[in-house]
Amino acid sequence: MTDILSKKLESKIDNKLISKRNRKHLEDGFKKGKVVNEVLDKPTVMTLYKMITDHIIAYVNGSISAGKESVLFWGVDENDGNVALKIYLVSTSNFKKREPYILGDPRFSHVKKGTKNLVYLWAKKEFKNLIQCYEAGIPVPRPLHVTNNVLAMEFIGNDGKPAKLLLNSQVDENDYSQAISILKDLYKKAKLVHGDFSEYNIFKTENGLVVFDLGSGVDLRHPNAQEFLKRDINNIGRFFNKRGISIEDSDEIFEDIVK
């Protein structure tokens, strides 16, 4: 009897997630009817269903991109606004490699053992980092909600199509200046170091650069904060240098930021 009720509930959730589907043509990478797949285990489906009943989202259109640790979905709210749903994969073991970005951060001093707990904490950590950045006026996706392994935030792009990555964009000296300015503001205003600042985690939009993937971001009190900052400076400098942009000395940038 329990199994029958469980199957009925799961079917109801699946139908809810794929109902009210956007009638517009879906961009490449979207597959109608494929919202609930192997990525969404039962607890994640339940989390999404609760986000619907709590009116955070109205429905989910489909997946946008997938990585080793997370999958990004295109959601829509009750006002037809686009919402980015970042779903962290509980089944992956890669999160064990993320412990150095949590251990030592005084904001997260109590870390429970187990992959699921670490994944849930990582989602919470990225949400908190986004809030700190957004409130400090740093160009990041506006954080909306987090529950368990699902993070909802502003969708950077149009009609389910994400903005172009810095990696895939034409760049100039102004882009480089913006990138360094963001690093500085992260440190000075948000009191954070990104920890994974690169051309893969920056959008180039009509209104300027927007940085994302803040899960690796650490508090300035983290023992490795300055080492992470040096690495961020070197990584972004290496990218622009390869694109033929004249860059500043990394040590001078570091000293200017931390002074």
Side-chain angles (χ1 to χ4, degrees), residues 228-253:
F228 292 158
L229 175 59
K230 289 178 181 178
R231 187 177 64 193
D232 284 347
I233 294 170
N234 288 329
N235 284 344
I236 200 64
R238 190 179 300 114
F239 166 72
F240 279 101
N241 186 51
K242 287 181 179 179
R243 291 296 184 90
I245 305 300
S246 178
I247 64 172
E248 301 174 42
D249 181 78
S250 296
D251 290 336
E252 291 182 5
I253 295 173

Side-chain angles (χ1 to χ4, degrees), residues 146-175:
V146 65
T147 296
N148 297 333
N149 61 318
V150 182
L151 169 62
M153 54 191 161
E154 176 188 6
F155 192 102
I156 306 299
N158 296 296
D159 296 324
K161 184 177 182 179
K164 187 178 289 188
L165 292 177
L166 188 64
L167 172 69
N168 303 322
S169 305
Q170 294 290 326
V171 297
D172 55 28
E173 288 80 4
N174 182 55
D175 296 319

Side-chain angles (χ1 to χ4, degrees), residues 2-198:
T2 303
D3 289 341
I4 295 174
L5 290 174
S6 178
K7 288 180 180 178
K8 285 184 177 180
L9 177 60
E10 201 165 353
S11 177
K12 182 178 179 182
I13 293 171
D14 289 2
N15 290 335
K16 183 72 174 177
L17 285 172
I18 63 177
S19 67
K20 300 181 182 178
R21 184 168 303 284
N22 194 324
R23 302 297 180 185
K24 295 180 181 179
H25 170 70
L26 298 179
E27 300 290 343
D28 291 344
F30 294 84
K31 297 180 180 179
K32 287 190 174 184
K34 296 295 184 181
V35 174
V36 180
N37 53 34
E38 66 276 5
V39 170
L40 304 185
D41 56 15
K42 192 169 182 177
T44 301
V45 172
M46 294 297 292
T47 297
L48 288 170
Y49 183 64
K50 187 177 188 306
M51 290 173 69
I52 290 173
T53 58
D54 288 345
H55 306 287
I56 295 163
I57 56 174
Y59 59 96
V60 181
N61 259 326
S63 60
I64 299 169
S65 62
K68 293 180 180 179
E69 297 174 351
S70 64
V71 177
L72 193 66
F73 278 79
W74 169 25
V76 179
D77 64 22
E78 294 180 336
N79 296 315
D80 291 327
N82 291 335
V83 177
L85 297 170
K86 188 172 184 179
I87 300 177
Y88 304 84
L89 306 179
V90 177
S91 60
T92 183
S93 61
N94 287 307
F95 273 96
K96 294 179 181 179
K97 299 177 182 179
R98 296 297 190 180
E99 286 185 348
Y101 297 93
I102 294 179
L103 301 176
D105 192 321
R107 299 173 301 164
F108 305 96
S109 56
H110 302 290
V111 181
K112 295 182 180 179
K113 293 182 179 180
T115 300
K116 184 178 75 172
N117 291 323
L118 186 59
V119 172
Y120 286 6
L121 182 59
W122 192 264
K124 181 180 177 181
K125 180 173 183 276
E126 178 155 15
F127 183 68
K128 185 173 182 63
N129 286 344
L130 283 170
I131 289 175
Q132 286 184 222
C133 291
Y134 189 77
E135 291 180 346
I138 295 167
V140 297
R142 180 167 61 92
L144 301 175
H145 181 82
V146 65
T147 296
N148 297 333
N149 61 318
V150 182
L151 169 62
M153 54 191 161
E154 176 188 6
F155 192 102
I156 306 299
N158 296 296
D159 296 324
K161 184 177 182 179
K164 187 178 289 188
L165 292 177
L166 188 64
L167 172 69
N168 303 322
S169 305
Q170 294 290 326
V171 297
D172 55 28
E173 288 80 4
N174 182 55
D175 296 319
Y176 174 65
S177 296
Q178 283 187 59
I180 298 303
S181 179
I182 288 172
L183 277 177
K184 187 172 184 177
D185 287 344
L186 278 166
Y187 193 93
K188 297 285 190 182
K189 298 179 180 180
K191 309 300 180 184
L192 292 172
V193 172
H194 189 284
D196 193 19
F197 196 75
S198 74

Side-chain angles (χ1 to χ4, degrees), residues 211-227:
V211 63
F212 61 98
D213 267 359
L214 271 293
S216 298
V218 299
D219 185 278
L220 299 188
R221 294 168 291 177
H222 190 287
N224 296 324
Q226 293 199 353
E227 290 304 313

Side-chain angles (χ1 to χ4, degrees), residues 184 188 251-259:
K184 187 172 184 177
K188 297 285 190 182
D251 290 336
E252 291 182 5
I253 295 173
F254 175 80
E255 292 299 329
D256 180 56
I257 291 176
V258 301
K259 70 181 180 182

